[in-house]
Amino acid sequence: MTKEIVSKNTFKNLPPGVCVPWEQKLKEMGEIKGDPDIIKKEWEQLDAFAYVYIWWWVQR
Amino acid sequence: MTNLTDELSIAIAELDEDKVMALVRERLRAGVEPLEIVKKLQDGMTRVGELFETGEYYLSELINCGEIMKGAMGELEPSLAGGEQKYRGNIVIGTVKGDIHDLGKNIVVMLLKGTGYNVIDLGVDVPPAKFIEAVKENNAPLLALSVLLTSCLDSMKEVVEEVKKSGLDVKVLIGGPIIDDQFREYCGADYSSNIASDGVKYAEKVFG
Amino acid sequence: MAEDKLKLYEERKKRYLAAMNLEKPDKVPIRLSLSEFVAKHAGYTLQEIYYELEKNIDSINKLLTDYDLDAITGAPSLWWASLHDAVGAKYLKFAGRELDPNTQFQYHEEAYMLPEDYDAFIENPTEWILNTFLPRLHEELSEPGSYRANVSLIKGAAGMAMQQGMNQKAWATWAAEYGGVPAFTAMSKAPFDTLADTLRGLSGIMLDLYQRPEKVKAALEVLIPHNIFYGMATSGGEMEFPLFMPLHRGSFPFLNPKQWAEFYWPSLKQVIEALWSKGKRTLFFAEGNWTPYLESIAELPEKSIVFHVDMTDMAKAKKILGGRFCLSGNIPNMMLAYGKPEEVRDYVKRLIDEYAGDGGFIIDAAAVIQGDAREENIRAVIEAAREYGVY
Ligand code: B12
C-alpha cells in the first residue's frame, strides 16, 4: 500500500507551531527597511496556521 | 487451565520469539511432522488466550503472540503444503455491517483456531448476505458475530433473522462488550457472550 | 444577544463551570455527547451532515430548540467529508459515497507510518508528516509536487479554514439565539494515542513496544510539546471551558500495567499538567474501562480534569477520584437505544442520588450518542435530571 516516499528533513528539532523558522527566513530576506517585529509576527502567525493544518491530520 | 509440557508450546506462551523460531526450524530439520509442530504452537496460543481471560495477559501480549505465530507459520508453510490438516469443524465469523471494530473478534478467531477449528473469517462490515453465503458454502454448523457499536445491533439482529429464515442448520453465537441475554432474546440468537473464550465453549457444545 | 438568551447562557455556563470546579451549582448540569443522533433529530441524512457544513451546523439549532442542555459538544460530525474528498483521504469512509447514505462513517486503520520512519519522525515530525505521511494518507498528494498534489494542498488548508470559520460563527449564533454553551473549546490527545491511532496503528504500536521500545519512548518525548501546543492552538485563547481529549489505547485491557506505566501514562500526565499550568482543564474522555488506572489518574492536580466514565467502575471512580475531579457520564448507550424511558429515569435518579450529592458531577451518556438512541430516552434523561437534580 504505502509507496516509498523518502525525504530528508530540511530542519531539525523545530519547536511546535513552526514549519519554517523565522530565523531562517530573516537570513534570506536580507535588509529589512521597516519594523522587523511586524514582519516576524505576521510570518509566525501564518506559519502556525500551516503547522495546525499539518498536525490536524494526525491529532484525530 | 492448560498445562504445557512441550518446550515450543511454552516458548510461544511466554512470547519468546527467538526461541519459537529456533525450535520450529530445529524440529523441521529433525523431521518432525509439520502438523505436529502446528499443534504445539496452537497449544501455546490457547494458553495465551487463557492468560488473557484471567487478566495476566493484555491485548499487547495477544497481538504480539499473533505476530510470532504468523512468523512461525511462514516458516512452516513450504513443508505444510500438500499435507491435509484435520479440523474439528467449520466456523464462520465476522463483525456485522456498519461496524469495523475487530480486535475482540480477532481474539475469538485466534482461540478457535488454537483449539483446532477451521475458521472462515469474513472480516469487518459484513452484510447479512455474505454471512449466509459463507455458511452455505462451508457447510458451517456455527456462525459467530461480533459487534461493538450499539448503532449496529439492529444490523446483527438482521443477520440472525435472515439466517433463521434461510432454514440453514446453523447455530448463531453473538458476542461483544455490550451483548447480554436480553439482547440475545431480542435478536433470536442461540448463544451470546462478552468473553472471547466462550467462543470455544459454545463451539464444543455445537461440535460435541 | 437577546436578553433572555443571554441570561440563559450565563446560567448554564455558571452551572457547568461550578460542577467542574467541584462546587455545588443550582442544578446538576446536563452535557450530552451527541453525535449522529442530532442529524436524526433534525431530519437530515448522515450523508447530508457529513458533506454539508450548513446542515451539520443547522441540526444543532433544532436540537437547542427542543432540548434543555447545559453544554453541547457542537455540530454532530467532526469531519467534513467534502474536504476529505478534496485531498483524497483514505482514512475515513463516508455515508453517501462508499457507504449507504444513512450509515455511520468508518475508519480504515493502517500503519501509515512504518518502523523505519521513526528516526525522521523524531528528528522533525512536522516535516515528516507533510512530506512522508500525508502523501501516503491522501491519494491526491501521492505524487508530491504534481499539479494534483499542489491543488489538494490548497484545498485542504482552505477547507480547514472554512470549516473553522463556520464553526466559530455557529457557536456565536448558538450562544446568542439559544443560550448554547460549549462543552469544550479545544482538542488534543495523549501522545501515545497520537502515535498509536493514526500513525502506527494498533498492531504496529503493539509490536513496537516489544521490538523497538526506545524509539517509541523517543517519539513520545517528541510528541509531548506538540500535543500541548496543539491543545492551546485549538483553544484559540479560550480558557474557561475544558479541552476535549478522547482517550483510546490506554483503556483496559490494551497495555499491561507495566507498559501502561512506562509508555502511556508519563507523557499523558505531562500534557495534562502543562495544559493545567496554563489554565486549561482537560475533559478526560476515558473511553472503555479505566478502573485499574484510577489511582494513577488521582495523581493529577486537583480539578485539572473532568473524568468521564464510560465502562469504568463508577463506584470506584467516585471513591478514588471523587472530591478531586468532577465526574461525568455513565448512562449506558445500550439503554438509550434499547431501554424504556422509565428505566432511563431510574438510572439517572440513581446516578444523581449516589454520585451528585456534593457537587462535581455532570450528567452524560457513557459513550458518544449515535443515531440509535431514542428520542424518548434522551428526553427522559433531561427530564429526570431536571426533576431529581436540584441541589
Ligand atoms: C479501538 C476502538 C476503535 C478503533 C477500532 C480498531 C479496530 N481495528 O478494531 C477505531 C479507532 C478504528 C474506532 C472507530 C470508531 N469507534 Co471505537 N472504540 C475503540 C475502543 C477504544 C476499544 C474497542 C476494543 O477493541 N476493545 C478491546 C477488545 C479486545 O474488546 P472487545 O471488542 O470488547 O472484545 C472482547 C469481548 O467483547 C469479546 N467479544 C468481542 N466480540 C466477540 C464475538 C464473539 C462471538 C464472542 C464469543 C466474544 C466476543 O471478546 C473480546 C475479548 O474478551 C472502544 C472503547 C473501549 N475502550 O472499549 C471504542 C468504541 C467501541 N468506539 C466507539 C465509536 C463511537 C467509534 C466510532 C463511531 C468513532 C468514534 N466516534 O469514536 C468509530 C466507528 C467506526 C465504525 N463504523 O465502526 C464507541 C461506541 C459507542 C456506541 N454508542 O456504541 C466506543 C465504546 C467508544 C466510546 N466510549 O465512545 N474505535
Side-chain angles (χ1 to χ4, degrees), chain B residues 174-189:
Chain B
I174 60 174
I178 46 176
I179 296 295
D180 57 12
D181 280 342
Q182 201 182 343
F183 186 72
R184 178 177 46 77
E185 267 165 45
Y186 170 76
C187 103

Side-chain angles (χ1 to χ4, degrees), chain A residues 1-5 7-14 16-17 49 51 53-60, chain C residues 79 83-84 110 120 123-124 126-127 131-132 135-136 138 142-143 156-157 187 189 194 198 226-227 229-230:
Chain A
M1 79 99 250
T2 37
K3 225 185 310 163
E4 222 16 69
I5 302 156
S7 53
K8 277 199 93 78
N9 289 326
T10 321
F11 299 105
K12 287 181 191 171
N13 309 320
L14 292 183
F49 173 84
Y51 171 91
Y53 176 70
I54 293 169
W55 280 81
W56 192 49
W57 292 105
V58 175
Q59 304 287 25
R60 40 181 36 224
Chain C
W79 319 127
L83 168 56
H84 284 72
E110 235 178 87
E123 189 179 68
N124 186 358
T126 308
E127 194 168 339
N131 284 350
T132 309
R136 291 182 188 155
H138 295 168
S142 61
E143 306 282 345
M187 127 110 202
K189 294 182 69 149
T194 304
T198 17
H226 286 281
N227 287 24
F229 181 91
Y230 192 82

Side-chain angles (χ1 to χ4, degrees), chain C residues 112-174:
Chain C
Y112 293 103
M113 173 178 171
L114 306 171
E116 52 270 33
D117 290 321
Y118 267 104
D119 290 336
F121 178 83
I122 291 163
E123 189 179 68
N124 186 358
T126 308
E127 194 168 339
W128 177 85
I129 295 168
L130 181 59
N131 284 350
T132 309
F133 175 77
L134 288 187
R136 291 182 188 155
L137 186 73
H138 295 168
E139 241 146 39
E140 294 289 329
L141 200 57
S142 61
E143 306 282 345
S146 68
Y147 174 67
R148 296 276 293 250
N150 293 345
V151 169
S152 83
L153 284 171
I154 299 170
K155 285 189 193 170
M160 182 183 81
M162 281 161 73
Q163 189 179 354
Q164 280 174 352
M166 286 197 47
N167 276 333
Q168 234 164 43
K169 227 177 81 201
W171 279 111
T173 312
W174 295 330

Side-chain angles (χ1 to χ4, degrees), chain B residues 18-55:
Chain B
D18 297 340
K19 195 161 173 196
V20 168
M21 295 310 283
L23 282 171
V24 167
R25 289 189 194 117
E26 193 183 303
R27 289 185 186 187
L28 274 176
R29 252 184 283 123
V32 179
E33 262 309 300
L35 280 178
E36 196 46 40
I37 303 178
V38 173
K39 175 75 182 53
K40 295 296 182 244
L41 288 169
Q42 286 175 338
D43 288 347
M45 237 166 80
T46 304
R47 176 90 182 117
V48 170
E50 287 168 355
L51 288 169
F52 178 72
E53 295 294 341
T54 55

Side-chain angles (χ1 to χ4, degrees), chain B residues 52-53 59 93 98-105 107-108 144-152 173-178 192-199 202, chain C residues 35-36 91 104-109 197 202 247-249 251-254 285-290 310-311 333 366-370 372:
Chain B
F52 178 72
E53 295 294 341
L59 261 174
I93 192 168
D99 197 336
I100 51 105
H101 294 87
D102 65 358
L103 303 172
K105 183 214 70 194
I107 297 171
V108 180
L145 308 173
S146 179
V147 74
L148 267 83
L149 296 176
T150 56
S151 58
C152 291
L173 163 64
I174 60 174
I178 46 176
S192 68
S193 166
N194 46 31
I195 305 170
S197 61
D198 279 356
Y202 289 115
Chain C
S35 63
E36 282 74 7
Y91 191 59
Q104 175 74 38
F105 71 83
Q106 293 181 1
Y107 276 106
H108 178 70
E109 199 183 276
D197 281 348
L202 188 68
L247 295 149
H248 296 145
R249 311 289 155 105
S251 74
F252 175 85
F254 277 80
F285 204 79
E287 297 188 4
N289 176 4
W290 291 68
D310 177 5
M311 292 186 271
N333 291 62
V368 170
I369 304 172
Q370 299 178 285
D372 56 340

Side-chain angles (χ1 to χ4, degrees), chain C residues 310-357:
Chain C
D310 177 5
M311 292 186 271
T312 303
D313 183 326
M314 187 66 181
K316 286 208 181 118
K318 173 75 179 174
K319 194 161 149 252
I320 300 171
L321 304 180
R324 260 193 101 64
F325 312 121
C326 172
L327 301 180
S328 69
N330 188 252
I331 305 172
N333 291 62
M334 189 75 170
M335 184 181 277
L336 294 178
Y338 295 92
K340 296 192 183 68
E342 304 82 71
E343 285 173 68
V344 175
R345 286 179 63 88
D346 290 347
Y347 200 94
V348 170
K349 177 171 188 304
R350 194 180 62 78
L351 269 185
I352 291 175
D353 288 346
E354 289 175 23
Y355 301 110

